[in-house]
């Protein structure tokens, strides 16, 4: 899905978080939203540190973080 959708920061975040959630299900663990969000943040910044200054990157993580905190 990530390759077909273009690989924008929001798509990469969704793919990483989805993989973390599926891995948690495979190992019979509970997936925590904030942990998977932080892991996606770390992986994306390790891959492309300049993504921190991308507005799409910032808004994507801010939106998911606000949903997680309000939930």
């Amino acid at each position: 899905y990530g390759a077909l959708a273009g690989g924008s920061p929001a798509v990469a975040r969704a793919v990483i978080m989805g993989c973390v959630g599926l891995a948690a299900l495979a190992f019979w663990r509970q997936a925590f939203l904030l942990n998977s969000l932080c892991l996606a943040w770390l992986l994306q910044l390790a891959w492309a540190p300049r993504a921190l200054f991308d507005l799409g990157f910032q808004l994507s993580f801010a939106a998911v973080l606000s949903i997680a905190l309000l939930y």
Side-chain angles (χ1 to χ4, degrees):
Y1 168 74
L4 291 175
S8 69
V11 172
R13 178 204 42 81
V15 167
I16 294 169
M17 290 181 69
C19 289
V20 169
L22 289 175
L25 286 175
F27 291 111
W28 298 89
R29 301 284 183 194
Q30 183 178 2
F32 293 105
L33 182 62
L34 290 177
N35 290 347
S36 59
L37 181 66
C38 289
L39 180 65
W41 185 77
L42 286 172
L43 288 177
Q44 280 190 293
L45 286 181
W47 180 261
R50 290 184 158 260
L52 183 62
F53 304 108
D54 184 16
L55 187 60
F57 177 86
Q58 294 172 1
L59 290 176
S60 174
F61 279 93
V64 175
L65 181 63
S66 64
I67 290 170
L69 293 178
L70 290 175
Y71 175 68

